[in-house]
Amino acid sequence: TGADAAVVRVRRGDGSATLRCDRVLNTRNVVVDPYDDLLAEVPMLTGTTMTDDGRLVNVVDVDRMEDTR
């Protein structure tokens, strides 16, 4: 909230989307494991990836986000 918030602009093709984030730690290429079963129907989430320290992080599907605008 407030001064600590960050805005991330994501481009896809000729369009773009802006995301408000609590913070941006860094950027990297990742391997995304798709969700199965229960979480497969959660809108705008495509799967999960693992951080260097073993935590799981949700991955936002920018294509789905663009389709819901």
Side-chain angles (χ1 to χ4, degrees):
T1 63
D4 295 333
V7 176
V8 178
R9 182 175 175 206
V10 181
R11 286 193 233 172
R12 179 180 59 99
D14 60 349
S16 67
T18 304
L19 309 173
R20 183 182 180 279
C21 306
D22 292 334
R23 60 189 171 145
V24 176
L25 301 177
N26 57 33
T27 59
R28 65 179 65 185
N29 293 323
V30 297
V31 175
V32 178
D33 254 341
Y35 282 127
D36 294 326
D37 304 326
L38 181 63
L39 293 176
E41 299 302 318
V42 176
M44 293 184 263
L45 290 183
T46 191
T48 188
T49 193
M50 188 178 293
T51 63
D52 292 337
D53 63 1
R55 291 179 296 132
L56 295 177
V57 177
N58 289 319
V59 177
V60 175
D61 187 332
V62 177
D63 290 335
R64 286 187 194 171
M65 183 178 294
E66 180 72 20
D67 293 340
T68 61
R69 288 194 316 156

